[in-house]
């Protein structure tokens, strides 16, 4: 069984920074993709950023240059450094682990950016 535990959300003013963390536990295969999605009220869940176990990254156009995803394979942990936050970044952020055709989700952490 796989569990994802997120931390680091909160309230920040526009232009500020936050760092999200997500630790995975359980039966984790070495080849996987970890990422962050977000869902704002009334909107569909969307990909924010993803990183493979080999370090290849992918970002949504809206966060490129402001957010940085990284991971520590030894700890099965993924991070999302969010800088220059905007009110439009306000959403629940979900950690995702994809491996062998299965997707696992964290419980979500709220990020609120005030103007």
């Amino acid at each position: 069984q796989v569990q994802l535990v997120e931390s680091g959300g909160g309230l920040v003013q526009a232009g500020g920074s936050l760092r999200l963390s997500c630790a995975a536990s359980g039966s984790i295969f070495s080849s996987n993709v970890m990422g962050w999605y977000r869902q704002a009220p009334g909107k569909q869940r969307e990909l924010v950023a993803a990183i493979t176990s080999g370090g290849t990254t992918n970002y949504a156009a809206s966060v490129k240059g402001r957010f940085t995803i990284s991971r520590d394979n030894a700890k099965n942990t993924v991070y999302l450094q969010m800088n220059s936050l905007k009110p439009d970044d306000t959403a629940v952020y979900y950690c995702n682990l994809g491996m062998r055709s299965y997707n696992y989700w964290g419980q979500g952490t709220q990020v609120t950016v005030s103007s």
Side-chain angles (χ1 to χ4, degrees), residues 4-8 18-24 33-37 48-52 57-59 63 66-83 93-96 109:
L4 302 176
V5 178
E6 299 139 337
S7 60
L18 282 174
R19 188 189 193 215
L20 305 183
S21 299
C22 172
V33 180
M34 297 190 78
W36 292 93
Y37 288 70
V48 176
I51 183 169
T52 69
T57 58
N58 182 36
Y59 293 93
V63 307
R66 300 188 296 123
F67 292 9
T68 301
I69 191 168
S70 60
R71 61 186 291 166
D72 184 334
N73 288 335
K75 296 181 180 179
N76 289 319
T77 298
V78 65
Y79 306 96
L80 186 68
Q81 178 66 43
M82 304 185 293
N83 299 329
Y93 283 69
Y94 296 92
C95 178
N96 173 268
T109 185

